[in-house]
Amino acid sequence: MRKVHEDVWVVDRPFRLMGLGLGVRMTVVRLSSGGLVLHSPVGYEAGLQEWLDSLGEVCAIIAPNCEHNLFLAEWIRAYPRAVYYHPAGMVPIKGFPVQEEILDDAVAEAWRGELEQHVMRGLPRLNEVVFYHKKSRALIVTDLVFNITRSASLLEKLLLRLNGAYHHFGPTRLFKTFFMKDKAAFGASIKRLLEWDFERIILSHGEIVEQDGKEKFRRAFDWLL
C-alpha cells in the first residue's frame, strides 16, 4: 500500500495467470467529497479494509474491464452502500443486492470534474474503460499496457518476453489479438486518450510510469496512429 499522490494510493499484490507472475494493482482515488473510488480491487483483506476506512468512505467500486472481476463480490459485500460500476458485458454478480451502473463515455456524476473516462473501442471481449485523474495527471489503465521489469525465474522471463510483456512498455501480443479485427476503432480510442494531459500512468500489471508517460504511451501505439 503506497501513496503516489496526495489523493491517490495503490495496493500491489501477487497474482499469477497461466503460471506467470503478473502481479496486480488496485488504485484508490479520494474525491473532493472525501469519498473513495476503488479501481480494479485486489483480494479482500480485513486489514486492507481498515486502512481504506482510515482514508475515507468507499463510495464507488470499479470493474474496469470484463476480465478484472475476481475480487469484486468480496468488496461489494464489505461496502454495500458503494455503487458498483462496470462496463457492458460484465458477468452479473448474484446472491445479494447490488447498486450498479454501466460505464460508458459519459462521466459518472460521482466523480464529475475529477475523473474522465473512455470505453476503448474495438475491444468487444474486454470493453476496457480507461480513466484520467486530472489532479494527479494520471492515466489509469488495466490490461491496455504492461510494464513488467522483474520476474522470479528464467523460464518466466522467457515466456513473458515471448508475449511482449517483459522489459517492454506497451500492449502484449495477447492483448493485440483483442483489437486486430478493428484496428481503426481501437486507434481512434488511442487518439482520444492522447487528448488528455497525463504524465503518470498507473497500470494493473507492472511498474508505474512516473515521468514522460504520454510520450511513452504515444510511442507504444505509434504504429496505429
Side-chain angles (χ1 to χ4, degrees):
M1 299 178 288
R2 56 194 171 102
K3 194 173 190 175
V4 298
H5 179 266
E6 61 179 316
D7 288 314
V8 181
W9 296 260
V10 295
V11 180
D12 296 340
R13 292 291 184 266
F15 180 74
R16 301 188 72 82
L17 180 65
M18 295 185 292
L20 297 179
L22 304 179
V24 69
R25 174 175 295 117
M26 173 171 71
T27 304
V28 181
V29 176
R30 184 166 57 197
L31 303 174
S32 59
S33 64
L36 301 181
V37 175
L38 308 188
H39 175 278
S40 191
V42 295
Y44 176 83
E45 302 166 20
L48 184 51
Q49 182 177 7
E50 291 176 7
W51 171 73
L52 289 169
D53 291 342
S54 74
L55 298 178
E57 180 180 357
V58 173
C59 63
I61 297 170
I62 295 176
N65 71 32
C66 292
E67 294 295 325
H68 275 236
N69 58 4
L70 290 178
F71 311 114
L72 293 169
E74 302 170 358
W75 288 102
I76 292 170
R77 285 191 186 96
Y79 293 108
R81 294 174 58 189
V83 179
Y84 164 48
Y85 296 86
H86 62 85
M90 178 65 81
V91 175
I93 293 178
K94 300 179 180 179
F96 54 94
V98 179
Q99 300 181 71
E100 59 185 308
E101 291 189 21
I102 295 177
L103 293 165
D104 53 27
D105 283 357
V107 177
E109 184 63 34
W111 51 72
R112 189 176 302 279
E114 300 182 64
L115 286 165
E116 298 287 338
Q117 64 198 64
H118 175 68
V119 181
M120 297 298 294
R121 305 302 193 254
L123 294 175
R125 289 173 58 188
L126 283 180
N127 282 338
E128 177 155 337
V129 186
V130 176
F131 293 86
Y132 170 56
H133 183 237
K134 295 180 179 181
K135 195 172 181 181
S136 63
R137 296 181 64 202
L139 192 72
I140 306 173
V141 306
T142 312
D143 294 327
L144 182 62
V145 290
F146 278 47
N147 192 34
I148 298 174
T149 59
R150 291 175 291 178
S151 187
S153 71
L154 289 175
L155 177 60
E156 189 169 84
K157 290 176 184 178
L158 174 61
L159 293 173
L160 287 168
R161 196 179 298 278
L162 288 173
N163 192 28
Y166 189 66
H167 273 284
H168 173 258
F169 172 79
T172 65
R173 288 189 174 92
L174 177 61
F175 185 85
K176 289 178 181 178
T177 65
F178 288 110
F179 65 79
M180 291 305 286
K181 291 183 178 180
D182 200 347
K183 291 191 289 186
F186 184 79
S189 278
I190 293 297
K191 292 177 182 177
R192 173 70 182 91
L193 302 187
L194 287 168
E195 294 175 4
W196 290 333
D197 183 29
F198 60 94
E199 172 77 5
R200 174 186 285 119
I201 301 175
I202 302 174
L203 57 168
S204 290
H205 309 291
E207 299 296 320
I208 293 173
V209 177
E210 292 286 0
Q211 296 180 322
D212 301 321
K214 189 169 185 176
E215 183 56 34
K216 291 175 181 176
F217 188 86
R218 189 193 310 275
R219 289 200 300 266
F221 292 100
D222 60 2
W223 56 282
L224 273 174
L225 304 176

